Amino acid sequence: MNITILDDYFDTLRTLRSFRKLDCHAVTIWNGHEPGVDALAERLRETATIEPLILDLLEWIGPRARPYDEVIDAWRTSCPRLPVWEEACARGYVVRHHVPGGIAEVNVSDASRAHLRAART
């Protein structure tokens, strides 16, 4: 697991006995404050806590369309820290279709299939 700790100004975490429990993980500690959102996002890129969940969503949708209501019931969240559905949409990984008189459906995009192949190999 990749763990990123932001803003440990005085590098105190490494001095704690309990820090040894993280020895089996990849830990990155940032000591300098970064007020910029883009720079913070860059620091957190390798942590990728949401990435495995996005891959799970794409695999769960699978090769055939699923009803939009079913997908939303299972994957939409009100947690701002785990916006799996929202992030997959923002990345263009899911496509929503609605034919008049039919039900709304969700498919994975070509970009998501390529992303799945790259991540799972």
Side-chain angles (χ1 to χ4, degrees):
M1 174 186 313
N2 293 331
I3 300 170
T4 301
I5 300 169
L6 301 173
D7 297 341
D8 181 16
Y9 303 119
F10 302 108
D11 204 19
T12 56
L13 293 176
R14 294 179 208 273
T15 66
L16 301 174
R17 272 188 306 180
S18 58
F19 189 77
R20 304 249 341 142
K21 293 181 179 182
L22 299 176
D23 283 350
C24 60
H25 301 287
V27 179
T28 302
I29 298 177
W30 294 92
N31 304 114
H33 177 69
E34 179 52 63
V37 174
D38 291 338
L40 284 173
E42 184 63 30
R43 287 181 177 185
L44 291 171
R45 179 185 299 199
E46 294 303 315
T47 305
T49 57
I50 199 168
E51 191 63 28
L53 295 173
I54 290 173
L55 294 171
D56 288 347
L57 166 64
L58 300 177
E59 288 177 340
W60 181 82
I61 293 172
R64 293 181 305 279
R66 282 191 181 252
Y68 174 79
D69 290 343
E70 178 184 340
V71 176
I72 290 302
D73 283 346
W75 287 94
R76 179 177 268 164
T77 178
S78 60
C79 177
R81 295 180 188 266
L82 288 175
V84 178
W85 167 256
E86 294 82 355
E87 184 64 24
C89 288
R91 294 182 188 185
Y93 291 160
V94 293
V95 180
R96 185 175 179 254
H97 310 274
H98 187 228
V99 177
I103 63 168
E105 294 183 322
V106 175
N107 278 60
V108 295
S109 68
D110 291 338
S112 71
R113 284 189 277 281
H115 182 65
L116 275 168
R117 276 193 305 275
R120 298 296 194 215
T121 55

